[in-house]
Structure formats: C-alpha cells, structure tokens
Amino acid sequence: MAAGPNSETGMATRAREAAPGIGELPNYVGGRFEVTGSLFDDVTPVSGAVVSRVHEADSALVDAAVHAARGAFESAWRPMPTAKRCALLHKVADGIEARFDDFLAAEVADTGKPASIARQIDIPRGAANFRLFANLMETAGTDCFEMDTPDGRGALNYSVREPHGVVGVIAPWNLPLLLLTWKVAPALASGNTVIAKPSEETPVTATLLAEVMDAVGVPPGVFNVVHGFGPNSAGEWLSRHPGIDALTFTGESRTGAAIMKAAADTVKPLSFELGGKNAAVVFADADFDAAIEGTARSVFANCGQVCLCSERVYVERPIFERFVAALKAQAEALVPADPWANDCTLGPLISAEHRTKVLGYYDLAKNEGAEVVTGGGVQDFGDARDAGCYVQPTIWTGLPDSARTVREEVFGPVCHVAPFDSEDEAIARANDSDYGLATAIWTRDLSRAHRVARRIEAGICWVNCWFLRDLRTPFGGVKLSGIGREGGLHSLNFYAEQKNICVKL
Ligand code: NAD
Ligand code: 6OD
C-alpha cells in the first residue's frame, strides 16, 4: 500500500475536463490518499467507457480506516467544541459549492443521469445536507423532566446525546453524493467519525468529498473513504467489524438483510433505507394535469432509479382510460439523450447488468399477461446512444396484483397502471405489498386525502405532490423498505446514544 500526497490526486482537474477519464481513485484513510494496487473499473453507462480505475480496499485497509477513525474520534472530533465542528461542516458545504462543476461532471459520468437533474438536485443537496445538520446540531435541544420523589425534594432528569464513535456508511449508486452526505453529515455533526463506502458503480463523488474534507481542514481520520464491493469486500467487512459502532445503509432490501446478519454478532445500531414498490393512488376528482405531471415524474425521474418512484399506479375507473393515454404521451415525450444535452430527460440505466435485470422484467411482464401500453424494450437509435444502457420508458396494464412484475421492485422507468372502484379497494391494493416506503395520493378532497394517508402502510405519504422534501421530516420505510427514520432530529437521534442523567435534588 502506498500513500499519495493529497495535492497530487489531481482529480479536480481531470473531472473538470469532463469524465470519462478521471484516472485512478484512491481510498482516503487517516487523512492520506491510499492506493492498493488492486484496481477495478468504474464505467459510465452512457457509453461503457472507463471513468476511473478504482483502488479496492483490502481488509487491512478497512482495519486501518477503523483504527484511524477511532483515534480521530478520541483525540480530535469528540473533544472539539460543537460550534467549531459545525463551522467546519459549513466549510465542507462551501467546498462542495466551490467545486460544483467537478462534482457535477463526476456524478453525470458515473450515473449517466441528465446533467440538469444533477445540477438542480444531487450536487446542491450534497452541500445542503452539511448545512442542515450543522445548523441543527447547534440548536437541537434534548428532554428535561422534573420529577417528584417520596422525600419531597424532587429530581431532575435531563438527557444528552453521546456520539456512538465510529459510524459506517454504505451507500447506493442512484443518488450517490446526495445519499452519502445525507448520512455522513449528521453522523459527523453528532460528533462521530465516519468510514464511507460508496457504491462500486459510482465511487467518484465520495473521493471528491474526501478531497474537500482534506482541503478545508477536517482532521485526519474523521472522514474516511474505502472503495469496494459488498460480499467479501469493504461492505461486508465494515458490517462485521467490531470497531464500527453504528452502521447506516441505503440500498436493496436483500442487501439490508445480509448486512443485518453480518452485523448481528456485534449488535450495533442499524439504520436501513431500503427498496420500494411504491403506489400512486389517483382519484377521479384530482387535478388531472397535476396528477399526470406528478405521476410521470414519479415513474420516470432518474430513469425510474429513485427508491421513491411509483411502480404501481392505481387510478379511479372513470378517468382510467384518459389517464393511461395521457401518461403514455408523457412517457413518449421523454428524450433519451446524452446526459449533457440540454433536452435530455431520460438517461441510461446505471449499468449493463442492471439493464439486463430491467429487460428481464419487461419480458416477464409480457409472459404474465401485461398489455404493453408503450415501451417494453430497447430503442434502436442508430447512433452513439446504442452503446449506452438506455431502455424504453414502459407502461403496463392488465396484470393481476399477484404478478411478480406488480410485486417486485424493478428500479427502472416502468409502472403498471390499474383501475379501482372504491377508496377501500385502492387502499387495500396499495397496501398489498411487501414494501412500504412512499405513496402519492392525488385528490381534491382533503378529508379523503387525510383519511387515505392515515391508512396507507408507508413511511412517507405525499398528497398532490411527489418527492417534495423538507429535510427536517422523518424519512424511511415500513416492512421491507427499512428500519428507522432519518432526517432532522431523527438523524441526530440515530447518530447518538441518548443518555438520561437523573439528579436527585
Ligand atoms: P445495493 O444493495 O446493491 O448496494 C448498495 C450498497 O451496498 C453498495 O455500496 C454495495 O457495494 C453494498 N453492498 C452490496 N452487498 C453488500 C453486502 N453483502 N454487505 C455490505 N454491503 C453490501 O443497492 P443499489 O443497487 O446500489 O441501489 C438500489 C437499491 O437501493 C434499490 O433497491 C433502491 O430502492 C434502494 N434505495 C433505497 C433508498 C431509500 O431511501 N429507501 C434510497 C436509494 C436507493
Ligand atoms: O431526499 C432524501 O433525503 C432521500 N433520502 C432520498 C432518497 C431517494 C431514494 O432513492
């Protein structure tokens, strides 16, 4: 293992020159950029070209990261006054903003998502996550209760939040910087040190974040990045590691189950944001145009690769035919293009492997009896896009609720639309799922909106909107969609142990 001086990683310049071609990505451990000699390719789904060659962490480097993070927790980060820690996190946000174009180029190359989306959502949220949790940490209160005692003197209870120590963050590829910082920022704000493992599909922005941390003076060992995969690689090693005091994960439900097993022997707190098979419920009295626009976004945004995307759409029968026709028009108006093209509204899927999986579901739906309203395969562009992982946006109707394509998460630009006849039926069918992440309800009847929202089995219910995020609100899912809530104080409560102190007066 050799160390590369921080100033010589050169990623910023190379990213600005527009990836592919970012070069080699080191790990970041104890304030040093570490190479390992075992390299894997990070390719762009736009063309299959190599974006970067990534140094995979071996188990010794993961151990070294845990050791460095523990040392930094004890000697630097926990003792640091909260105001100073939070000021540093604001500098991290400043640093992301200062290198906005680098982050943007890297995220677009890694994911293939339209640059317009990454510019408006992913990169600004990367910075906003640090600002939110830095501000919150400085203002958040804790419980305080005065109690009576038999001797009449009373007692005072107050609680404090104590950081866990070393927090492991395992992140997915669909919103790489946004979802990584959603966890790194509150973990650091709470006084923990962090070891982050980005997805092997999208490792660049995590390494850029390490460069920012390094440049703004976050003490060595406070933030570490290890690159690698899941099983028998950095993901599993972090999950099992006795030196990791808490673990937060976003990704597939079955990966969450594997992590839970790996983490079981060390009984560490876990926060899981997992998969979904989200329902949209559209009543006949809804603002039709708003419901169509919102549902189209909720199905096709980021090529359907958002955990909150609607893959099941239930529409009240009187407007069913009109709704399907209008949604079809929205799907067919999407522009699959190079992500830097101004008119691009549909990028490729994340990888050839994922495209094979999504196309497998496209075939399965036909076998299960779907009527394919639009899409159902791959485009034949006759140009450079044919080398990318593009698929057609797809709408199915006519499937039974028992079909695998109605029950399993596809994670692509696809939905099944089904008619319903009553509120009770819509609720029952929306709830007939192993998952429970998010639901969108479209109606002008506010009493009904409240009533339905209360009966829906999901962690998040949007009414007449989708993916409208207030970062202080609880975020998470029920059933296979996760464990726990993050967001605002909910994050601060996960990233700390709450200790009650009872003082007899
Ligand atoms: P994934 O589960 O395949 O991978 C996520 C991360 O886990 C990666 O870093 C991967 O290397 C790591 N990993 C894989 N196997 C592991 C193992 N055995 N032990 C430890 N780490 C392991 O998920 P993905 O394909 O990157 O992301 C898509 C999935 O994530 C979808 O199911 C989507 O719904 C879900 N997701 C959920 C949310 C949410 O907030 N609920 C947000 C985004 C994505
Ligand atoms: O907006 C967020 O904070 C968040 N966690 C979004 C998750 C999107 C899933 O793909």
Side-chain angles (χ1 to χ4, degrees), residues 164-214:
H164 294 290
V166 181
V167 170
V169 175
I170 302 180
W173 46 257
N174 62 328
L175 305 164
L177 181 72
L178 187 160
L179 289 175
L180 190 89
T181 53
W182 173 240
K183 291 168 178 298
V184 168
L188 291 180
S190 300
N192 304 284
T193 53
V194 166
I195 302 173
K197 194 204 86 63
S199 168
E200 57 274 30
E201 307 277 5
T202 54
V204 184
T205 47
T207 313
L208 285 175
L209 183 62
E211 290 192 358
V212 167
M213 296 265 182
D214 199 65

Side-chain angles (χ1 to χ4, degrees), residues 125 174-175 178-179 182 273 305-308 411 467 469 471 475:
R125 259 296 295 280
N174 62 328
L175 305 164
L178 187 160
L179 289 175
W182 173 240
E273 297 181 345
Q305 301 168 120
V306 180
C307 58
L308 308 160
F411 221 53
F467 207 173
R469 295 278 292 114
L471 305 185
F475 184 97

Side-chain angles (χ1 to χ4, degrees), residues 147-479:
M147 67 181 286
D148 294 332
T149 55
D151 64 7
R153 288 165 57 191
L156 178 66
N157 288 275
Y158 66 96
S159 66
V160 290
R161 293 192 187 88
E162 305 275 16
H164 294 290
V166 181
V167 170
V169 175
I170 302 180
W173 46 257
N174 62 328
L175 305 164
L177 181 72
L178 187 160
L179 289 175
L180 190 89
T181 53
W182 173 240
K183 291 168 178 298
V184 168
L188 291 180
S190 300
N192 304 284
T193 53
V194 166
I195 302 173
K197 194 204 86 63
S199 168
E200 57 274 30
E201 307 277 5
T202 54
V204 184
T205 47
T207 313
L208 285 175
L209 183 62
E211 290 192 358
V212 167
M213 296 265 182
D214 199 65
V216 304
V218 172
V222 168
F223 177 70
N224 306 272
V225 176
V226 289
H227 289 297
F229 301 82
N232 200 28
S233 186
E236 182 182 338
W237 297 329
L238 286 176
S239 309
R240 288 197 181 286
H241 209 292
I244 297 285
D245 300 302
L247 190 76
T248 177
F249 166 72
T250 301
E252 276 194 41
S253 302
R254 65 169 169 239
T255 309
I259 289 175
M260 207 166 182
K261 283 186 193 134
D265 284 345
T266 52
V267 196
K268 44 177 71 80
L270 299 173
S271 175
F272 281 172
E273 297 181 345
L274 308 179
K277 188 74 182 178
N278 307 303
V281 178
V282 185
F283 289 93
D285 70 346
D287 176 333
F288 188 85
D289 291 344
I292 281 293
E293 186 277 329
T295 304
R297 247 182 337 107
S298 81
V299 174
F300 301 118
N302 206 37
C303 204
Q305 301 168 120
V306 180
C307 58
L308 308 160
C309 276
S310 310
E311 292 194 8
R312 299 178 295 141
V313 182
Y314 298 99
V315 181
E316 203 167 5
R317 198 174 298 274
I319 61 165
F320 177 74
E321 300 292 342
R322 187 173 155 228
F323 190 92
V324 171
L327 195 63
K328 173 177 189 282
Q330 293 274 333
E332 291 175 357
L334 291 166
V335 180
D338 181 275
W340 289 100
N342 286 337
D343 60 348
C344 174
T345 48
L346 191 76
L349 292 168
I350 187 66
S351 64
E353 186 188 353
H354 189 51
R355 185 165 82 151
T356 300
K357 176 184 156 190
V358 170
L359 291 175
Y361 278 110
Y362 282 14
D363 288 343
L364 177 63
K366 288 174 200 157
N367 294 336
E368 289 185 314
E371 181 194 328
V372 181
V373 176
T374 187
V378 294
Q379 305 92 333
D380 183 5
F381 296 112
D383 59 33
R385 290 172 293 174
D386 288 332
C389 299
Y390 294 88
V391 293
Q392 291 176 325
T394 294
I395 299 171
W396 303 312
T397 57
L399 287 164
D401 289 352
S402 58
R404 280 182 54 202
T405 37
V406 177
R407 308 200 66 81
E408 297 175 13
E409 183 185 47
V410 179
F411 221 53
V414 59
C415 69
H416 178 248
V417 193
F420 70 85
D421 292 301
S422 71
E423 188 177 303
D424 281 347
E425 181 197 343
I427 293 167
R429 291 174 72 186
N431 288 344
D432 181 17
S433 173
D434 295 332
Y435 294 97
L437 186 54
T439 301
I441 301 162
W442 297 89
T443 177
R444 282 193 170 100
D445 178 343
L446 277 187
S447 295
R448 171 157 59 197
H450 288 292
R451 201 166 54 231
V452 175
R454 288 301 298 264
R455 291 179 61 195
I456 286 286
E457 295 166 2
I460 302 152
C461 270
W462 277 294
V463 175
N464 296 328
C465 58
W466 177 76
F467 207 173
L468 191 54
R469 295 278 292 114
D470 180 327
L471 305 185
R472 299 166 298 182
T473 58
F475 184 97
V478 303
K479 302 194 259 186

